[in-house]
Structures are given as C-alpha cells and as structure tokens.
Amino acid sequence: MKKMIKNGTIVTATDTYTADVLIEDEKVRAIGQNLSDIYAEVIDASGYYVMPGGIDPHTHMEMPFGGTVTKDDFESGTIAAAHGGTTTIIDFCLSEKGSSLKNALNNWHAKSEGKAVIDYGFHLQIAEASERILKEMPRVIEEEGVTSFKIFMAYKNVLQADDETLFQTLITAKEHGGLVMVHAENGDVINYLTEKALKEGNTDPINHALTRPAELEGEATGRAAKLTALADSQLYVVHVTCKEAVEQIADARSKGFHVYGETCPQYLVLDQSNLEKPNFEGAKYVWSPPLRDKSNQGILWDALKTGQLQTIGSDHCSFDFKGQKELGKGDFSKIPNGGPFVEDRFSVLFSEGVKKGRISLNKFVDIISTKSAKLFGLFPQKGTIAPGSDADIVLFDPNKERTISVDTHQMNVDYSALEGMKVTGEPITVLSRGEYVIKDKRFVGKPGMGKFLKCDKFPRDAHEKIEKAGNLVK
Ligand code: URP
Ligand code: ZN
Ligand code: ZN
C-alpha cells in the first residue's frame, strides 16, 4: 500500500525543509508540497523530523568472541537497532585461516537469513593473505556484493593479522574496488603489557585500559595509513578513540590519501574512569580500544564536525554482565571485549551532538547515515530521502526527553552502559523499504523482512571529486 508522510520536516545531509513524501513499492516516489493520493495511507509527522534511517556501519551479531558468543543475534539486534532509528546495519563476517571466504559468507548468511528486520550488508575479515584468499577477494566483490575487508591489527593469537597481510589486502582492494578496514592497535605490544600486568597481580578491569595506551592506537593507525599511501589504496579506521589516532588520520588526509575514520558513541560520552567501578562493574565498560581520558571526547567531536572522522558506528558487541563479562573475574584479559550500543547510537549522537550545539542537524544525518552509504557502496539507494531511494525513514521527535535504562531497552542484554543517562529526542515510527518496523514506538515488523544488501565497489573517483570540492569538511 502507498503511504504519504505529511506535515513533517525533512532533514537530509544537505537540506532541511517542509514537504510531503509519497512512498510506493518500497521506494520514495515523490517529494513535494501538498501532494495528494487518495490511495495512500496518510502518516501525520507534525512536530517530527523526517530523516533517512540510520546506517550503522559496525555491528557484531551472534559473533563468537572472547570465549563466548555475542548475545544479540540478527533478530534481537536488528529489532533493537530499528527501535533506535537504524534501518541498515553492516555486520562483520569473521573468516578462518585455511577456509574459503565463501564459507565464511555462507556461515554469516545462515545466521542472518530469515531473522533480520532491517536490511543488512557484510564486511568480511581477511585472516590471511594466502594466494587462494587473494584470488577469491575479487570474486567476493563482483559476485557476493561484499566490498569491504577487515584486518585486525590486535587480538594476538586470535584475530590479529600481520603487516604483510594488511599490505597485500590493501593492494588487492585497490585493484578491485574494495575498501580495507582496520582495527588499529599494536597487538604485539599489548600482548606484552597484558602478560606483564597479570604476572604482577594486576587483574582488575582497569588494567584493560592501562595495557592498551593511546600511543599504541596512534602507532597502528599511522602504520596502516602509511601502508595505504604506499599501496595507493583506501582505508577506513574503525572505532577511533583518541587524539593520537585522529592526528594520524588527519595527517594522511591532508596529504590527499584515501583514509577515513569512524568513532563510536561510547568514546564520545564515557571515559576510562568507568572501568574503575567497584564490584567488577568496570567490566561492563571494557572495549578495545579502551575508553580514554575525558580530554579525548572534545577531540573526537571536533573531528566529526570538521570531517576528519566521517561516521559513527555502534560497534554493537553485546555480552551479558552475568555469565559473560564475568568470565574475566580475576583476569581482565578474559573479559569479553565489547558492549551494547546499536539502539542508542542515533539518539546519543542527536542529543549530545545536535542538542548541545556540537554538530548541525544536517551534519548529524551525514554522520549517522549518508556518509556510511557513500563509503560502503549503498548510496543513493540508502542514506538519503530522494525520489528512487529506498523508503527507509525515521519519524523523530526532537524534543522528547527520556532516560536510557536496561529496564526499557530492547537489546537482549542484562545491562546498559548508559544506565540513567538523560537524552533528548526519540524515534517514533520507523519504515524499512516503506513497511512499518516500528509504529508509535512499538515493534510491528517481522523477522525476515530485512534483506541482504549487495554493496557496490568503493567509489574512489566520486570521493576524490567530493574531497577536491572541499565538501567533506562541511
Ligand atoms: O571491544 C570491542 N571493540 N569489541 C568488538 C570487536 C572489535 O574489536 O570491534
Ligand atoms: Zn575492533
Ligand atoms: Zn567491532
């Protein structure tokens, strides 16, 4: 059935204006003043922003990690995402040394098919750069619609790859239109510092942060950026947390290299002191890279505002406190790394960013949705409200005040890292390709209504033009 959104304020990455939106056959059909269609259901958006659905470029659903498996799967995780205003996630598909990329993708398709309630794509981990894997990468790009490849520079003896693997992946990605993503921390030095801390009897959660200093994130970020420049390739640095890493990205970008960066809401609103909470509660705040000293928060906000960082990912990697985070009692290195954020990413960025005057409303849409669509080959199908685009739309009440809590969140996890935080702004109704997923704050979708998205190749030429025009710094 057709739908007509009336009386709302449309907000995209570039414009804010009042108009009606006609939706038909999953797409935005028309935008204009006083549209009428007697066959369309009218949705009254008075007092609401009408925004493109959020695109979360960084999630880990049902992922084996840290001796356990993340708690949210593609069903509970995407329901929570939709409640939070997100209509697309790009999830990290893990691969195994000695096994094909196709096997890894089949495994992730099996986890997600029939479960997701919003659309989703995959990034694919490269665990080794064997001849077979490097030959398979172009096939994955052309046939599977997976065009972004992740290298872990940390998690020694588990996920970590060496620099040769990173460099060969960068070269292959450049040749075939892929985008390489890195978790940038120096895993070898972290391993040394971790073993030393444990030997000295320093076992509490705070030691997670103390053994992963910002210098090691800066060093790895700079190394990855320099290898990217040498390969004349393209790089996206996930979960940037600190001045040291922002500086490396800004330096590479100032020299014209294709280096992009993402931060996460947790690094904008939480800090290292959270890891010192008593009764092992600090474990709830264990991410890698770790939460940093508060002084980094302003640097990250500035980097988002000036375009040195382009996106925000939730890094949603949810574990219960009971039974999962508790695996690390008496040994901080066994605390599963990660936390629940897919539901709060949109609202936290709006409340702390737009409402507090740190970023403009249009910049918000760019960071929360549009830029990820552009970087990961989904634009203009996703990431904007325009005729022909998928009708992935959020009706957002910008003035609603509420308190984040485990008691009201939808994520399948037994704590909120933001318990008690007051935010302004709430997604009210969420459409995915024109169908209600959330209607008046209630989930009305069905598992399986979300579809797998084939991503286009990294649009390097388009990005070059945008950067030359200076638009990335808006
Ligand atoms: O602590 C984190 N970030 N957990 C998720 C895995 C990763 O490194 O992104
Ligand atoms: Zn990571
Ligand atoms: Zn992650």
Side-chain angles (χ1 to χ4, degrees):
M1 179 172 181
K2 294 184 200 177
K3 292 185 177 71
M4 177 85 78
I5 302 175
K6 282 203 160 278
N7 310 319
T9 302
I10 298 173
V11 188
T12 68
T14 48
D15 299 295
T16 307
Y17 59 104
T18 307
D20 303 333
V21 183
L22 177 65
I23 296 164
E24 185 183 12
D25 294 337
E26 305 192 349
K27 303 279 182 193
V28 173
R29 274 290 158 239
I31 301 175
Q33 307 295 328
N34 304 316
L35 294 183
S36 74
D37 187 317
I38 55 165
Y39 298 107
E41 172 196 349
V42 173
I43 304 173
D44 182 16
S46 303
Y48 297 156
Y49 288 142
V50 179
M51 294 168 153
I55 299 179
D56 188 339
H58 189 157
T59 66
H60 303 281
M61 302 301 177
E62 202 185 325
M63 183 180 83
F65 191 49
T68 181
V69 178
T70 60
K71 192 76 192 307
D72 277 303
D73 63 9
F74 275 85
E75 184 173 328
S76 65
T78 56
I79 290 173
H83 271 284
T86 289
T87 53
T88 300
I89 60 166
I90 314 181
D91 199 76
F92 283 95
C93 167
L94 294 188
S95 63
E96 266 174 44
K97 283 187 184 163
S99 182
S100 70
L101 299 180
K102 180 79 178 143
N103 271 350
L105 290 171
N106 286 346
N107 183 16
W108 240 251
H109 280 300
K111 282 180 205 277
S112 50
E113 247 165 49
K115 291 181 99 174
V117 306
I118 54 172
D119 292 351
Y120 58 96
F122 296 153
H123 312 293
L124 177 55
Q125 182 209 356
I126 299 296
E128 60 178 344
S130 63
E131 214 173 295
R132 180 177 153 197
I133 294 296
L134 294 173
K135 262 206 188 119
E136 209 187 347
M137 268 178 67
R139 235 181 301 142
V140 163
I141 292 173
E142 299 293 341
E143 293 167 22
E144 304 288 336
V146 174
T147 58
S148 40
F149 299 92
K150 171 83 174 284
I151 299 280
F152 288 93
M153 300 170 80
Y155 303 129
K156 194 170 166 73
N157 302 324
V158 188
L159 297 171
Q160 187 173 327
D162 59 18
D163 286 351
E164 185 180 352
T165 304
L166 170 57
F167 194 62
Q168 296 213 48
T169 304
L170 282 162
I171 289 174
T172 309
K174 159 72 198 297
E175 281 169 6
H176 298 277
L179 175 60
V180 177
M181 310 171 79
V182 282
H183 171 131
E185 286 185 294
N186 185 321
D188 290 349
V189 178
I190 288 168
N191 191 55
Y192 167 79
L193 293 175
T194 302
E195 285 180 359
K196 181 169 179 290
L198 289 172
K199 259 189 224 140
E200 290 168 359
N202 299 318
T203 59
D204 290 343
I206 184 62
N207 292 287
H208 175 78
L210 300 179
T211 54
R212 306 180 89 99
E215 286 80 357
L216 297 184
E217 186 183 335
E219 184 278 325
T221 305
R223 185 162 27 111
K226 286 178 182 80
L227 294 178
T228 302
L230 190 60
D232 188 23
S233 188
Q234 42 256 357
L235 182 77
Y236 176 100
V237 185
V238 301
H239 50 42
V240 172
T241 72
C242 59
K243 177 169 175 274
E244 287 78 355
V246 169
E247 281 174 354
Q248 293 296 329
I249 293 169
D251 181 57
R253 291 174 62 75
S254 73
K255 294 174 179 146
F257 299 121
H258 297 269
V259 176
Y260 306 89
E262 159 203 282
T263 190
C264 309
Q266 48 272 36
Y267 301 115
L268 296 170
V269 298
L270 300 173
D271 66 77
Q272 188 179 308
S273 66
N274 288 92
L275 282 103
E276 288 173 308
K277 290 204 172 178
N279 305 320
F280 194 62
E281 289 229 16
K284 293 177 178 172
Y285 304 91
V286 164
W287 278 275
S288 291
L291 298 177
R292 301 294 185 195
D293 178 83
K294 231 179 175 23
S295 63
N296 288 284
Q297 292 176 355
I299 291 162
L300 296 175
W301 280 112
D302 278 352
L304 286 171
K305 184 175 175 170
T306 59
Q308 299 303 348
L309 297 178
Q310 294 77 33
T311 64
I312 186 157
S314 67
D315 195 5
H316 182 74
C317 190
S318 59
F319 300 105
D320 275 339
F321 180 64
K322 289 250 166 296
Q324 291 192 297
K325 288 285 185 180
E326 282 178 346
L327 293 169
K329 268 194 170 167
D331 179 349
F332 70 88
S333 72
K334 294 196 166 60
I335 300 169
N337 290 194
F341 251 97
V342 76
E343 191 173 343
D344 299 316
R345 183 187 73 110
F346 195 110
S347 287
V348 167
L349 190 70
F350 181 82
S351 187
E352 292 291 312
V354 179
K355 281 285 175 184
K356 295 198 172 166
R358 291 172 167 131
I359 52 172
S360 73
L361 188 55
N362 304 106
K363 188 76 192 179
F364 166 78
V365 173
D366 195 39
I367 295 168
I368 210 75
S369 179
T370 314
K371 200 53 73 37
S372 288
K374 289 181 174 172
L375 285 168
F376 295 109
L378 293 170
F379 189 83
Q381 180 189 354
K382 305 287 189 191
T384 192
I385 299 178
S389 293
D390 284 357
D392 290 359
I393 294 177
V394 179
L395 270 51
F396 189 77
D397 180 345
N399 297 313
K400 179 79 191 349
E401 295 185 354
R402 63 199 174 91
T403 303
I404 293 176
S405 172
V406 64
D407 298 332
T408 47
H409 78 198
Q410 306 295 324
M411 296 177 284
N412 182 25
V413 62
D414 67 3
Y415 74 97
S416 167
L418 300 175
E419 189 65 39
M421 182 178 174
K422 291 195 173 18
V423 288
T424 306
E426 183 171 36
I428 305 297
T429 289
V430 178
L431 303 175
S432 167
R433 280 181 283 103
E435 289 298 320
Y436 289 107
V437 191
I438 307 294
K439 192 173 186 183
D440 295 327
K441 298 196 246 182
R442 281 192 19 259
F443 174 64
V444 294
K446 276 199 195 74
M449 67 185 279
K451 298 272 178 291
F452 176 69
L453 295 164
K454 287 192 167 185
C455 296
D456 288 338
K457 293 179 185 178
F458 176 72
R460 181 167 163 137
D461 293 346
H463 280 281
E464 236 149 30
K465 274 192 204 128
I466 294 168
E467 302 224 13
K468 279 197 185 115
N471 286 346
L472 279 182
V473 190
K474 253 194 205 159

